[in-house]
Amino acid sequence: MTLEQMKREDSIPVVIVNSLGIITYVNGAFEDAMGWESPAILGRSLTLIIPEYLRDAHNLGFSRFLTTEQPTLLEHPIQLKAVDRNGREFVAEHFIIAEKVDGEWCFGATIKELDGEERSGAGN
Amino acid sequence: MPEIEYGPLLRQLRSTLGKLEVALGAIDEAIVWTDHQGLIQWCNGAFDRLVQRPHFRNLGEPLQQLLPLEHAGAGSGGGGHPWKQAAEGGVIRGLYRFSQGESIRALEVSASRVEVDRQASIVMTMRDVTEETRTRERIRRLMRQNQLILDSAGEGVYGLDPEGRTTFVNPAAARMLGWAVEELIGQPQHQVIHHSRADGSAYPAEQCPIYAAIREGVARTVRDEVFWRKDGSCFAVEYTSTPIVEEGEIQGAVVVFRDSTERRLAEADTARRSRLLMLLQRITEAANEAESVEQVMRFALDRICAHTGWPLGHVYVTDPESSSRQLVPTRIWNTGADSRYDDFRSLTEVTEFKVGRGLPGRVTSTRQPYLLADLSQDPDFARADGARRAGLVSAFAFPVTVGSGVTAVMEFFSTARAEPDVFLLEIMGQVGRQLGEVIQRKRAETRLHQSNRDLEVFASVASHDLQEPLRKITAFGDRLEEVSGEALDDRGRLYLSRMTAAAGRMQVLIDDLLQYARVSSRGRPLERLDLDQLIRQVLSDLETRIEESGARVELEPLPRVEADPSQMGQLFQNLIANALKFRHPERTPEVRISGRMVSDSTRPWCEITVADNGIGFDQQYGERIFEVFGRLHGRTAYPGTGMGLAICRKIVERHGGTIAAHGDPGRGARFRIRLPARRDPGKEVEQ
């Protein structure tokens, strides 16, 4: 899957950020699922949709990738918690990709909320 | 105010954070921090590996559930999970156990609470010290075992640093050396316990084998040195100094030693016993070689004085003419030509003892060796004053026993006090018994020699004195027959003829007796002799008798011997003639003469065998046939005087040899002669 393909996705929430972790794109499904309208979230930090207690880990992991370019979470589905505009935490299957655009890394992710049966393991 | 460029700033911060994350991820210590609720906000790779979960699945998890910890009793903490204690404000540093399935890890945990943005966070670091703990535990156990071994070892063990200073000492070493362990630690070992040799002379450290092991890196074992105790006394030790080498560098030495006093005493005792047994053997051998009883005694005195170092030895003998078995002194002494003992000697030579009295009498009555450690303290020692003046302190004596009696007592005196020595006395008791046997044998030999001499003298004198009257009987008999033979009647002529025949036989008897006597008196010097040649000559002399009997004589090669040629000729003539005379009536006589070299425990011998197939004899007469006039058959059946084999034995014995006869009735006889293969120069057996 590529960033372009993600942008064509309209049934699953998609979010794209630049190398600074700033949201540059969300699709309609994202707006529906997360309660955010595009103008309100574009240009803001991705940490808006990450529970507060995971933000440090996110920042460190994100920074490590930019420093080492060695992925650990990319291109396979992983379960992580997310938070919507109302502060509701939920477990979602993330599929994250990274691509360089004009020499800068861009990241795209699909965020598919899981119900109880679909969750595995400890429920991240 | 210029517009802030957040992009580069963010990039820079990202870069810094990235490097920090990489650095934290690379260290071995597990690091985790949680929020105030205990949910994991971040952890590094070492933590992920510790809990064996993917990194992203640890994030947001409650730490206490993910990493249950149990205090292992070391460091602070102890009540509950370290996170909880840290959250309550404590700073925790301790050893915890983390169980995961069957694996139990030991973690050195550090936990503390920090305030970030007015929010409490807990940071915990964990170092996996499982292997370290196990190793430490193994080392601790090993050290405890080593300590137990060192503490319980009978041997002394101590360690030295490269400078030869004591680094450790086990209790046995300290006990043997008479020092407390702590007094020895750090001390220069050589100067403290090894400074002098057994004789008290200085022992330079540069010659010390213990230090040599440190210098040269080679273990040294020494069995005959001494260590010195704190109180200044020393004791015999055997020790091994083994260098301690670590990574090619000599770090010192370990010395293991044991008190070898008992071993050395045992060795010395064994050596002493061995020397005493050797003494017994030498005395016995020499006594056997001695030519007289007095010589036996003198030799025994000399050897015992030399062996024991006692300067004075003397022999008392029992007086055979005394009914009360008085012990009388002899002039047989060993004084080492020391004039100090002259008075004591004179006193002794006029002092007799009754059995049971004095040292000689006591030994005679008990038939046991006896030691008087202090002559001045023995009320029964009659010569005490004389002994005191001569400086004699101790004495021992032993009986020379012959059969059930005591024939002599050997007494010895020393100028130093002697302690009872059971083994010495035991050996001296054996010496006495051996000497007694030798003396008994010597006396028997002396009696036998005397009896032989008497017989020879008698035979010689008798034969010479008988010759003349016999010649007259024969001569007058012949003349009577010549002059009056015609006048005699038949009975008279019969008497005359029997008389002259008897005179003739007597002449033969006298000749044989003379021949027997002359074996000793007219023997010629021994010379190297070719027995083959000699026996051929004998066979030639016997040619007529051999032809008449039709005998077959087989002569095998014989060794050369040193012998009197004339007597050897006589010996073999008698034996071969004997074989022809006692031939079997139904068989062609066969005589076989053979020889060989043999050895027994005493010397090599030439053994010559003369065997025949004649009538033989019953072996019970094997000795009797060698007796003077010894006959097994009547004169009528086999003429002769019965002197032939007696002469043979006498010849062989004059040569220092032996002769033995083996008979098998009806099948033959075999005579075996042994002559010394090499003779001692100038030595001929006296008969």
Side-chain angles (χ1 to χ4, degrees):
Chain A
M1 187 174 268
T2 63
L3 285 176
E4 284 307 314
Q5 286 170 329
M6 275 196 177
K7 283 182 179 173
R8 286 199 291 273
E9 178 61 59
D10 56 5
S11 60
I12 302 171
V14 169
V15 59
I16 293 174
V17 300
N18 66 9
S19 62
L20 297 175
I22 303 297
I23 298 170
T24 56
Y25 170 84
V26 294
N27 64 0
F30 180 92
E31 290 177 324
D32 293 343
M34 304 298 281
W36 289 95
E37 290 175 359
S38 292
I41 199 165
L42 294 180
R44 299 186 70 175
S45 170
L46 180 66
T47 52
L48 274 178
I49 63 163
I50 295 172
E52 190 171 338
Y53 55 82
L54 292 178
R55 287 176 185 166
D56 290 334
H58 162 75
N59 284 327
L60 283 164
F62 193 89
S63 302
R64 188 189 60 227
F65 176 79
L66 291 172
T67 305
T68 64
E69 298 188 344
Q70 297 292 318
T72 54
L73 303 178
L74 301 182
E75 296 186 354
H76 58 269
I78 54 170
Q79 290 184 23
L80 288 169
K81 280 182 178 167
V83 61
D84 65 13
R85 191 173 190 175
N86 297 320
R88 182 182 68 92
E89 267 184 37
F90 58 92
V91 177
E93 183 184 271
H94 292 59
F95 189 90
I96 309 170
I97 61 167
E99 272 182 33
K100 273 197 171 172
V101 177
D102 298 330
E104 291 284 335
W105 282 105
C106 286
F107 303 87
T110 57
I111 302 166
K112 182 180 167 191
E113 184 172 351
L114 300 175
D115 58 26
E117 286 179 5
E118 290 172 312
R119 291 182 210 166
S120 67
N124 258 334
Chain B
M1 185 164 173
E3 191 179 339
I4 298 170
E5 289 189 25
Y6 289 104
L9 182 61
L10 271 177
R11 279 197 188 86
Q12 197 173 351
L13 283 174
R14 290 276 187 215
S15 172
T16 304
L17 279 178
K19 288 170 187 166
L20 190 60
E21 157 86 16
V22 169
L24 290 172
I27 64 175
D28 288 337
E29 282 193 320
I31 304 170
V32 60
W33 81 65
T34 72
D35 62 10
H36 64 284
Q37 295 176 299
L39 301 178
I40 295 172
Q41 292 189 291
W42 180 82
C43 56
N44 69 350
F47 182 87
D48 299 335
R49 287 192 293 279
L50 178 66
V51 297
Q52 296 178 10
R53 286 162 57 96
H55 178 68
F56 65 88
R57 291 190 64 183
N58 293 329
L59 301 173
E61 285 296 298
L63 176 65
Q64 291 186 79
Q65 286 177 25
L66 202 60
L67 186 73
L69 293 173
E70 187 186 344
H71 193 240
S76 59
H81 199 281
W83 177 88
K84 188 166 180 293
Q85 293 180 67
E88 289 165 359
V91 176
I92 304 304
R93 185 177 291 275
L95 194 64
Y96 287 82
R97 268 191 294 274
F98 169 45
S99 305
Q100 194 175 45
E102 291 184 355
S103 131
I104 298 174
R105 316 296 302 174
L107 301 178
E108 200 173 76
V109 177
S110 165
S112 55
R113 194 173 92 152
V114 290
E115 295 286 334
V116 179
D117 297 337
R118 294 182 195 160
Q119 289 267 324
S121 289
I122 311 300
V123 179
M124 271 177 58
T125 62
M126 287 143 284
R127 194 161 70 88
D128 190 334
V129 292
T130 310
E131 286 309 312
E132 214 174 294
T133 306
R134 281 182 190 154
T135 304
R136 211 162 34 228
E137 176 59 24
R138 275 197 292 269
I139 291 171
R140 199 178 58 78
R141 201 175 301 143
L142 205 60
M143 286 180 72
R144 202 169 58 228
Q145 283 173 358
N146 286 346
Q147 194 61 46
L148 274 173
I149 291 168
L150 284 176
D151 288 354
S152 58
E155 285 93 351
V157 185
Y158 63 84
L160 297 175
D161 67 12
E163 279 72 47
R165 284 186 299 264
T166 311
T167 53
F168 70 86
V169 180
N170 77 339
R175 191 173 59 248
M176 281 189 261
L177 294 165
W179 294 84
V181 169
E182 54 273 19
E183 287 177 312
L184 287 167
I185 301 295
Q187 294 294 322
Q189 175 267 356
H190 186 82
Q191 282 82 338
V192 175
I193 66 167
H194 203 204
H195 44 75
S196 304
R197 297 182 196 275
D199 61 3
S201 63
Y203 196 161
E206 53 271 22
Q207 293 174 11
C208 172
I210 294 171
Y211 282 6
I214 299 177
R215 281 196 307 275
E216 296 161 14
V218 178
R220 295 291 192 93
T221 297
V222 175
R223 290 170 59 85
D224 55 355
E225 289 191 349
V226 296
F227 280 173
W228 294 83
R229 297 189 186 94
K230 186 179 183 181
D231 65 7
S233 62
C234 67
F235 61 103
V237 287
E238 54 187 60
Y239 63 76
T240 297
S241 177
T242 307
I244 303 168
V245 182
E246 284 176 11
E247 296 174 353
E249 292 286 320
I250 297 171
Q251 303 296 329
V254 173
V255 182
V256 179
F257 69 93
R258 69 161 64 93
D259 185 335
S260 62
T261 308
E262 283 187 16
R263 176 183 63 79
R264 287 204 208 169
L265 286 176
E267 283 175 0
D269 194 48
T270 305
R272 192 177 59 81
R273 284 164 181 254
S274 164
R275 283 198 301 274
L276 274 169
L277 287 169
M278 190 87 78
L279 172 70
L280 170 66
Q281 189 184 344
R282 283 198 183 152
I283 289 176
T284 308
E285 282 171 5
N288 277 318
E289 295 289 319
E291 289 177 358
S292 66
V293 171
E294 184 178 330
Q295 207 176 22
V296 170
M297 299 288 196
R298 285 194 186 283
F299 186 82
L301 282 182
D302 290 351
R303 297 308 307 170
I304 293 169
C305 284
H307 180 88
T308 57
W310 291 37
L312 197 60
H314 172 245
V315 178
Y316 266 92
V317 294
T318 48
D319 182 359
E321 294 176 6
S322 162
S323 57
S324 60
R325 291 168 63 218
Q326 191 91 349
L327 282 148
V328 294
T330 65
R331 291 173 175 273
I332 306 174
W333 285 88
N334 182 298
T335 62
D338 194 328
S339 60
R340 275 182 303 172
Y341 308 125
D342 286 354
D343 288 348
F344 182 75
R345 185 174 167 164
S346 302
L347 171 66
T348 297
E349 287 181 5
V350 296
T351 307
E352 296 187 354
F353 291 101
K354 285 189 166 53
V355 171
R357 302 305 307 270
L359 180 61
R362 198 180 304 173
V363 165
T364 305
S365 65
T366 61
R367 291 168 49 85
Q368 294 293 328
Y370 196 85
L371 183 137
L372 277 175
D374 188 346
L375 298 176
S376 66
Q377 298 299 309
D378 191 286
D380 194 33
F381 189 74
R383 295 167 285 167
D385 285 346
R388 184 177 45 74
R389 285 194 297 275
L392 302 172
V393 177
S394 298
F396 78 83
F398 64 85
V400 178
T401 51
V402 174
S404 59
V406 173
T407 190
V409 171
M410 303 191 96
E411 56 176 6
F412 298 85
F413 300 89
S414 78
T415 53
R417 184 186 166 91
E419 295 307 319
D421 181 339
V422 174
F423 192 68
L424 171 73
L425 294 181
E426 192 183 310
I427 290 294
M428 290 303 120
Q430 288 186 40
V431 169
R433 284 189 287 278
Q434 294 286 340
L435 288 178
E437 283 179 19
V438 173
I439 286 169
Q440 197 170 20
R441 200 159 55 244
K442 292 284 171 207
R443 283 177 179 165
E445 282 171 10
T446 306
R447 279 197 297 273
L448 181 62
H449 289 171
Q450 191 56 46
S451 137
N452 279 344
R453 280 185 195 286
D454 292 348
L455 177 62
E456 282 165 19
V457 169
F458 167 76
S460 176
V461 171
S463 337
H464 278 106
D465 291 351
L466 286 172
Q467 290 274 37
E468 186 51 31
L470 187 61
R471 260 199 300 275
K472 285 195 171 145
I473 291 170
T474 308
F476 284 113
D478 288 348
R479 196 173 298 171
L480 184 62
E481 190 180 9
E482 204 177 288
V483 175
S484 310
E486 297 284 326
L488 293 172
D489 58 9
D490 288 349
R491 184 179 290 183
R493 276 196 295 278
L494 177 65
Y495 290 160
L496 185 59
S497 114
R498 289 179 72 175
M499 185 189 79
T500 50
R505 279 202 309 278
M506 191 166 179
Q507 184 64 52
V508 174
L509 273 172
I510 288 168
D511 288 346
D512 282 354
L513 267 176
L514 266 175
Q515 204 174 36
Y516 181 81
R518 283 170 183 164
V519 170
S520 298
S521 62
R522 302 252 175 112
R524 286 191 293 180
L526 310 187
E527 59 184 70
R528 199 93 177 124
L529 201 60
D530 183 344
L531 273 183
D532 281 332
Q533 198 181 343
L534 181 129
I535 291 176
R536 278 198 196 90
Q537 183 57 50
V538 170
L539 292 175
S540 167
D541 294 344
L542 292 170
E543 194 177 4
T544 312
R545 271 197 263 179
I546 292 170
E547 278 178 6
E548 278 172 5
S549 62
R552 202 160 52 233
V553 180
E554 192 181 334
L555 176 61
E556 291 185 3
L558 299 177
R560 293 174 74 86
V561 294
E562 278 183 47
D564 175 336
S566 165
Q567 290 186 350
M568 279 297 112
Q570 182 70 59
L571 168 70
F572 286 103
Q573 176 150 346
N574 286 6
L575 289 174
I576 295 165
N578 225 45
L580 298 175
K581 181 159 76 175
F582 295 103
R583 64 179 177 269
H584 198 284
E586 294 162 9
R587 282 201 291 267
T588 302
E590 285 177 7
V591 183
R592 184 162 171 268
I593 303 155
S594 58
R596 59 175 186 156
M597 300 298 295
V598 295
S599 284
D600 62 13
S601 60
T602 59
R603 63 187 310 159
W605 300 92
C606 296
E607 185 180 278
I608 301 129
T609 304
V610 179
D612 63 52
N613 64 344
I615 58 170
F617 61 88
D618 193 322
Q619 189 58 43
Q620 66 173 306
Y621 302 120
E623 273 300 307
R624 186 174 153 190
I625 58 175
F626 290 109
E627 289 174 5
V628 174
F629 302 127
R631 299 177 61 98
L632 299 183
H633 306 279
R635 199 172 59 239
T636 317
Y638 294 96
T641 59
M643 286 297 290
L645 290 177
I647 291 168
C648 285
R649 169 164 279 184
K650 197 163 172 65
I651 289 171
V652 171
E653 288 181 350
R654 185 205 158 210
H655 285 75
T658 60
I659 182 168
H662 302 273
D664 189 356
R667 303 188 67 158
R670 186 158 45 88
F671 290 84
R672 197 195 66 194
I673 299 140
R674 279 188 173 181
L675 298 173
R678 280 194 298 274
R679 299 190 58 80
D680 299 331
K683 190 161 182 185
E684 187 178 322
V685 177
E686 193 181 315
Q687 293 289 317

